[in-house]
């Protein structure tokens, strides 16, 4: 392990096309919205930016982009945060794109065209980098085989973290490879097949994986590991401006702290501070604070 800790994030990168609307459009309806905003997004890329910038980790992003102009926007944001992008592949399908409408009440609609993200495959060329990582972080906006291959390529003792979002049913063999599951309350309920409260959900999911973090928005998060009762880490009170990407900032910062061998509750406290700072700023990747800002805020 380096002093900074090494994180590999294997996952999606999307260009977010965002338009403010007076209300969500109904089926068959056309409505006029505000000016189009375009910003770098996608869970994998957001989390890589957070691991590098907020968590200070030596971070590699493994993903697939198109051979198109939006790919440049995504690479510039990753590079700007200090993420290693040398293993990013370009394919001849469009870069992943998210079409997002934002209503005044915060009721967003999102359609994702996965595009190049669906082509991500991990193979021999990624092996050395994954094997050098202290933490390998994956999500579910890319094929499930990415999670399997990332788990297989990690070195013994390295942590495989899965942010199981967007939620989908996980086969047994994938459950068996996960060391740390990170989910919000809705994803936890879907995975557990239960509508119980977060404490019960954390205990149920802990039966399946060694450690679980359930994020609870402004309420903070629950951490469950080993035989200990789930521990509530309170949220940091802030004036929220834009919660887009809060979960991704949390995941990236959490894994960066774990790569430095911090205990899970302490890592979750730092990740909560990073995510709280991020919600005070507009955007996803643009809102991610620096490690110095997080340290000052968490002190
Ligand atoms: P999103 O999909 O919006 O990125 P999520 O549903 O995956 O988010 P949340 O549980 O909403 O994840 O948020 C993740 C973490 O971000 C929380 O555990 C908390 O630490 C922090 N957070 C989110 N919203 C707030 C808020 N309003 N105030 C302070 N911290 C927040």
């Amino acid at each position: 392990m380096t002093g900074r800790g090494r994180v590999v994030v294997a996952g999606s990168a999307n260009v977010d096309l965002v338009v403010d609307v007076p209300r969500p459009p109904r089926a068959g309806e056309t409505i006029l919205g505000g000016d189009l905003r375009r910003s770098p997004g996608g869970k994998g890329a957001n989390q890589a930016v957070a691991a590098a910038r907020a968590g200070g980790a030596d971070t590699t992003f493994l993903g697939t982009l198109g051979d198109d102009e939006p790919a440049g926007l995504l690479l510039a944001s990753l590079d700007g945060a200090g993420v290693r992008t040398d293993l990013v592949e370009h394919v001849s399908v469009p870069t992943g794109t998210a079409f997002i409408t934002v209503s005044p009440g915060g009721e967003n609609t999102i359609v994702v065209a996965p595009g190049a993200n669906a082509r991500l495959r991990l193979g021999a060329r990624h092996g050395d980098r994954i094997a050098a990582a202290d933490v390998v972080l994956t999500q579910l906006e890319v094929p499930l085989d990415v999670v399997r291959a990332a788990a297989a390529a990690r070195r013994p003792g390295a942590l495989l973290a899965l942010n199981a979002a967007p939620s989908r049913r996980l086969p047994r063999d994938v459950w068996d490879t996960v060391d740390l599951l990170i989910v919000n309350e809705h994803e936890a309920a879907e995975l557990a097949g239960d509508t119980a409260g977060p404490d019960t959900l954390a205990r149920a999911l802990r039966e399946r994986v060694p450690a679980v973090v359930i994020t609870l928005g402004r309420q903070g998060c629950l951490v469950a590991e080993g035989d200990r009762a789930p521990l509530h880490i309170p949220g940091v009170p802030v004036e929220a401006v834009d919660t887009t990407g809060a979960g991704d900032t949390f995941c990236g910062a959490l894994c960066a702290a774990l790569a430095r061998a911090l205990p899970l509750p302490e890592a979750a406290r730092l990740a909560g501070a990073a995510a709280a700072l991020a919600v005070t700023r507009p955007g996803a990747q643009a809102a991610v604070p620096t490690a110095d800002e997080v340290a000052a805020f968490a002190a």
Side-chain angles (χ1 to χ4, degrees):
M1 190 181 78
T2 67
R4 297 168 64 199
R6 291 197 184 107
V7 175
V8 165
V9 183
S12 59
N14 293 326
V15 59
D16 290 345
L17 301 179
V18 186
V19 60
D20 291 320
V21 290
R23 57 176 173 74
R26 284 188 281 271
E29 187 188 28
T30 299
I31 61 171
L32 292 181
D35 288 341
L36 181 69
R37 297 192 299 279
R38 210 174 70 130
S39 54
K43 288 182 187 301
N46 290 349
Q47 293 178 13
V49 164
R53 193 190 291 144
D58 176 336
T59 306
T60 295
F61 174 65
L62 303 180
T64 311
L65 300 172
D67 247 333
D68 49 17
E69 189 268 339
L73 175 82
L74 289 162
L75 281 177
S77 184
L78 289 160
D79 290 341
V83 175
R84 293 178 196 257
T85 56
D86 55 309
L87 292 173
V88 168
E89 267 177 278
H90 292 267
V91 292
S92 57
V93 290
T95 291
T97 306
F99 302 88
I100 304 171
T101 70
V102 179
S103 305
E107 206 185 332
N108 299 355
T109 67
I110 306 179
V111 177
V112 176
N117 294 310
R119 303 292 181 93
L120 179 60
R121 307 277 180 277
L122 298 184
R125 64 189 290 270
H126 307 105
D128 288 350
R129 195 69 61 84
I130 295 173
D134 304 298
V135 178
V136 183
L137 171 59
T138 58
Q139 324 75 33
L140 299 177
E141 280 186 340
V142 291
L144 261 187
D145 274 347
V146 170
V147 183
R148 293 188 174 100
R154 76 191 191 276
R155 66 172 164 73
L159 200 75
L160 192 283
L162 173 66
N163 170 219
S167 62
R168 71 161 94 145
R169 238 189 108 261
L170 293 179
R172 178 72 188 263
D173 72 298
V174 171
W175 279 109
D176 290 347
T177 64
V178 174
D179 300 308
L180 168 64
L181 179 73
I182 312 164
V183 282
N184 68 20
E185 224 177 324
H186 308 291
E187 292 146 4
E190 280 190 41
L191 280 178
D194 197 337
T195 53
D199 194 88
T200 304
L201 292 174
R203 289 173 195 269
L205 293 171
R206 213 336 260 123
E207 300 276 305
R208 311 199 68 169
V209 292
V212 176
V213 175
I214 301 183
T215 64
L216 305 169
R218 72 180 57 181
Q219 310 292 342
C221 68
L222 268 188
V223 171
E225 58 178 336
D227 294 332
R228 292 182 287 280
L231 178 67
H232 179 224
I233 314 274
V236 186
V238 289
E239 190 89 16
V241 167
D242 180 359
T243 60
T244 315
D248 292 336
T249 300
F250 184 95
C251 289
L254 180 79
C255 288
L258 293 172
R260 283 189 283 127
L262 289 184
L264 185 56
E266 176 58 13
R269 197 178 71 81
L270 279 177
L277 266 179
V279 306
T280 66
R281 302 167 182 176
Q285 294 178 20
V288 174
T290 64
D292 286 346
E293 288 173 320
V294 176
F297 189 63

